[in-house]
Amino acid sequence: YGVEDFNVQMLETFAQKLDIVTVQQEINLIIRPAAASVNFCKAHGCMFVAYGSLLGGLLSDRYLGAPRPVPDADHSKMTDYLGSIDQWGNWDAFQRLLQALDRVAKRHDKTITQIALKYTLDLPYVVSAIVGIRLGSGSDHRRENLEALQIQLSQRDKDDILIAVGYGNYLGDGLTRT
C-alpha cells in the first residue's frame, strides 16, 4: 500500500495491519524525511515518493534574485510552499540557496530546477518525484525534468548544495499537514 503524509508513528501503526510500499511526502531541498522515517523505510523495504520537490516552481531560475512572490488564485499552493520556506528560514536564505543551485547548474549547463530535482531524487530511499506541469505555458518542462535524470552531481556539487541548505533549519517528516 501507499500512504501519504504519515509521520513515523502513523507508519508504524499502519504497518501492523498492512505492508507499506511507498510513503508519499513533501520532500525537496529544504524538507527531508526525518531519520526515523528513513529508518522505517529501510527496515520495511518501502520507498518515498516526493511531492513538492520543486516547491511549486519556486526552486527555479525564475525566482533567482526576485522579490518574494505574492500568491494569486492561479497559484494557491504557493502559500503552502512559501510557508515551508518561512519555517525553514526566510526569503533571503532561500535566495542564497538559489544562488548555490545556480552555480551548480552552470557547471552542468542545466537549470536550477533540474539540479533541485536531481538532488531530491538522489536522496536515500526516494524512488520518484511528482512534478506538476503547467499546461499551455509555452515551454516543455517535461523534457527539462526528464533531462535532470541524466545529471551526475559531483561531491563538490552536493557539498555546495548542502552548505546552502544549512542556511535554514532542518525540517523533517515533510511538514506533515494531516
Side-chain angles (χ1 to χ4, degrees):
Y1 288 89
V3 296
E4 179 182 1
D5 287 337
F6 275 32
N7 61 33
V8 73
Q9 293 81 16
M10 296 164 75
L11 290 169
E12 289 171 355
T13 300
F14 194 85
Q16 292 174 8
K17 305 283 185 195
L18 298 165
D19 291 331
I20 298 174
V21 177
T22 59
V23 179
Q24 185 175 315
Q25 281 188 344
E26 182 177 351
I27 301 172
N28 50 56
L29 287 169
I30 65 172
I31 301 169
R32 311 290 180 85
S37 294
V38 172
N39 289 337
F40 175 91
C41 283
K42 184 176 182 180
H44 290 83
C46 59
M47 303 289 281
F48 292 105
V49 174
Y51 71 82
S53 53
L54 300 175
L55 288 168
L58 293 170
L59 283 167
S60 68
D61 297 77
R62 176 180 179 184
Y63 293 99
L64 176 63
R68 181 185 173 94
V70 176
D72 59 29
D74 291 334
H75 302 92
S76 60
K77 286 292 290 177
M78 187 180 286
T79 300
D80 290 340
Y81 294 124
L82 288 169
S84 296
I85 291 169
D86 292 340
Q87 288 184 32
W88 168 75
N90 58 39
W91 191 252
D92 289 337
F94 188 71
Q95 284 299 310
R96 290 194 303 275
L97 174 59
L98 289 177
Q99 290 165 3
L101 291 169
D102 187 52
R103 287 190 298 274
V104 172
K106 286 179 177 165
R107 288 197 290 260
H108 292 272
D109 194 29
K110 299 295 180 190
T111 66
I112 288 173
T113 297
Q114 290 171 310
I115 299 301
L117 182 56
K118 178 60 174 173
Y119 190 87
T120 299
L121 288 168
D122 283 352
L123 291 171
Y125 296 97
V126 173
V127 68
S128 66
I130 299 168
V131 179
I133 301 293
R134 189 170 305 279
L135 298 175
S137 66
S139 62
D140 192 355
H141 294 294
R142 294 171 297 177
R143 179 167 294 136
E144 180 181 334
N145 293 335
L146 286 172
E147 288 175 6
L149 299 174
Q150 305 305 316
I151 299 169
Q152 295 297 316
L153 295 173
S154 69
Q155 191 58 52
R156 176 184 173 201
D157 297 334
K158 293 174 186 178
D159 290 345
D160 288 350
I161 294 167
L162 192 57
I163 289 167
V165 168
Y167 296 143
N169 303 303
Y170 174 79
L171 299 177
D173 265 354
L175 295 180
T176 305
R177 293 183 176 108
T178 55

